[in-house]
Amino acid sequence: MPVKSLRQLLTGEDIIQLVIRLGLLALLIIWTFLIIRPFVPILTWSAVLAVAFYPAFSSLAKLLGGRPKTAAAILTLITLGIVIGPATWLGLSAVEGVRELARQLGTGDLALQSAPEQIKSWPIIGPTLYELWDQAYNNIRAVLREVAPYLQPLAGPLLSLAGDASLGTLQFLVSVFVAGFLFPHGPRLVEAGRGFLFRIVPEQSEHFLELAGATIRAVAQGVIGVAIVQALLAGIGFKLASVPSAGLLAFLVLLLSIVQIGAFLVLLPVIIWIWTAKDVTTALLLTVFLVLVGFIDTMLKPLVMGRGLNTPTIVIFVGVIGGTLAHGIVGLFIGPIVLSVAWELAAAWIRTDRAQAGAASKDQPALCERSIDLSD
């Protein structure tokens, strides 16, 4: 029997009722999204924290004799201590540096460090380095005088970014609390996610769920976590050396570490400045410390990442920029994670489709041969 169309199966009144129901459902979905939209960054970062720290939570709960609520409370307090302590200190220092940079851009008076006279006394490379520094200083000042009027419009966005830091800190604190409530309910949330994926991709739901969790942990621990540790240690070294705009430089270390460029782009100029401003013993100790900080990502990433991260650097870079523009400071961290998960899932989906298509193409000649044999 031919399959009847929807219009033949439904009467005019049924179609009107269906349209009304679909319209009400769409209205409910849109309204719900508008209500929860201000909380999307907080909920997303809470979910990331819960997934990233769940192995630690599970081990701590077992160590405490099967007390998940106590383990969640302890882990939440530790995370809050990190956020309220060194992370807030680094953030406030970075805000001060951004505001100072915005002020200099607004007035067109960018302060630069001229070549210190004591460099001339350095053996072998001293005179050459002084001459290069002095030439670069004069040339950059001349260039900045020309482009200063074009840089002044950047002062507004920089001040806006600095003002967003307080809201970002509050979002971090709320996210940590929400993540603490999510820890004990981890298995039920995983089961809910599995059921949701099963309705979308029944054959690959389990694989996609494991892939999403592994990617979140890899990016959160191996990229974001290592970058935060590296930036905090670099900020401590900058403060000990009394480097100008230490917080802003540490924030640049954080950005460069997240986008996989490396912290030495900031650390090397700082080390050179330290040797011009400090005595030999202090400069040597700070140099050793900052060099170790520069290599800390190479040492920590193999330890904290459970699997190799296949996400291209450009995806993480776009996630950092897009996340920051969309959600402010919190978006700086959730942007690369969300985009990396989307990339990995899309890549896995494409690989699955290609594998199924390849298997179907291999089976087709065999079916043809069977049909020929039957015809014989």
Side-chain angles (χ1 to χ4, degrees):
M1 294 179 62
V3 180
K4 295 183 178 180
S5 64
L6 182 63
R7 184 174 295 180
Q8 292 174 331
L9 293 175
L10 299 177
T11 63
E13 184 179 352
D14 292 335
I15 293 176
I16 294 175
Q17 290 182 359
L18 179 61
V19 171
I20 292 175
R21 290 173 183 173
L22 292 177
L24 291 175
L25 180 61
L27 177 62
L28 180 61
I29 293 174
I30 295 173
W31 204 348
T32 302
F33 175 75
L34 291 176
I35 292 173
I36 67 172
R37 185 172 59 178
F39 304 98
V40 168
I42 295 175
L43 296 175
T44 305
W45 187 238
S46 301
V48 167
L49 291 176
V51 174
F53 288 108
Y54 192 80
F57 161 76
S58 180
S59 301
L60 184 59
K62 291 179 181 178
L63 187 64
L64 295 174
R67 298 177 181 175
K69 293 184 179 181
T70 305
I74 294 175
L75 199 57
T76 301
L77 290 176
I78 294 174
T79 310
L80 282 174
I82 296 174
V83 173
I84 295 175
T88 301
W89 163 76
L90 177 62
L92 293 176
S93 301
V95 167
E96 292 178 6
V98 170
R99 285 176 176 167
E100 178 61 23
L101 179 60
R103 185 193 65 79
Q104 293 179 6
L105 288 175
T107 58
D109 183 23
L110 288 171
L112 297 175
Q113 177 68 38
S114 59
E117 292 290 335
Q118 65 188 55
I119 292 182
K120 292 181 179 179
S121 61
W122 290 7
I124 303 176
I125 65 170
T128 304
L129 181 60
Y130 178 84
E131 184 178 355
L132 291 174
W133 191 327
D134 189 60
Q135 290 179 357
Y137 171 73
N138 293 326
N139 292 335
I140 291 175
R141 286 193 66 187
V143 171
L144 287 177
R145 279 195 296 268
E146 297 293 331
V147 302
Y150 303 99
L151 295 177
Q152 289 179 358
L154 295 176
L158 286 176
L159 287 174
S160 177
L161 180 64
D164 184 58
S166 57
L167 177 61
T169 302
L170 180 60
Q171 288 178 328
F172 271 113
L173 294 176
V174 176
S175 299
V176 171
F177 275 111
V178 175
F181 285 104
L182 293 179
F183 282 133
H185 306 287
R188 280 181 286 179
L189 294 175
V190 170
E191 192 61 34
R194 183 180 289 109
F196 177 76
L197 286 175
F198 182 79
R199 292 184 176 274
I200 301 176
V201 281
E203 298 84 2
Q204 298 292 327
S205 59
E206 194 68 31
H207 172 62
F208 282 3
L209 185 66
E210 294 177 359
L211 180 62
T215 303
I216 290 174
R217 281 189 288 270
V219 179
Q221 298 175 4
V223 177
I224 306 296
V226 171
I228 292 175
V229 171
Q230 194 171 31
L232 288 175
L233 293 177
I236 292 173
F238 297 160
K239 281 292 185 179
L240 291 176
S242 301
V243 177
S245 302
L248 180 58
L249 292 175
F251 185 72
L252 291 178
V253 169
L254 176 67
L255 288 177
L256 293 174
S257 300
I258 291 177
V259 299
Q260 310 294 294
I261 294 177
F264 277 106
L265 198 62
V266 175
L267 295 179
L268 287 178
V270 171
I271 290 174
I272 295 174
W273 181 88
I274 289 173
W275 280 94
T276 65
K278 303 295 179 181
D279 59 89
V280 175
T281 303
T282 304
L284 181 60
L285 293 174
L286 290 173
T287 299
V288 172
F289 176 76
L290 292 178
V291 168
L292 291 176
V293 170
F295 285 109
I296 198 171
D297 56 340
T298 307
M299 295 182 290
L300 285 181
K301 282 182 180 178
L303 297 177
V304 299
M305 292 178 67
R307 66 179 188 92
L309 184 63
N310 299 320
T311 305
T313 302
I314 186 63
V315 174
I316 297 177
F317 179 77
V318 172
V320 169
I321 302 300
T324 304
L325 293 176
H327 302 296
I329 296 297
V330 176
L332 171 67
F333 304 103
I334 64 176
I337 294 175
V338 172
L339 211 57
S340 297
V341 171
W343 175 273
E344 292 289 343
L345 291 179
W349 202 330
I350 293 172
R351 286 194 299 266
T352 302
D353 289 344
R354 286 181 178 176
Q356 291 176 351
S361 63
K362 289 180 180 179
D363 292 340
Q364 189 171 2
L367 292 174
C368 293
E369 290 177 2
R370 287 184 182 179
S371 61
I372 293 173
D373 292 341
L374 290 174
S375 62
D376 293 342

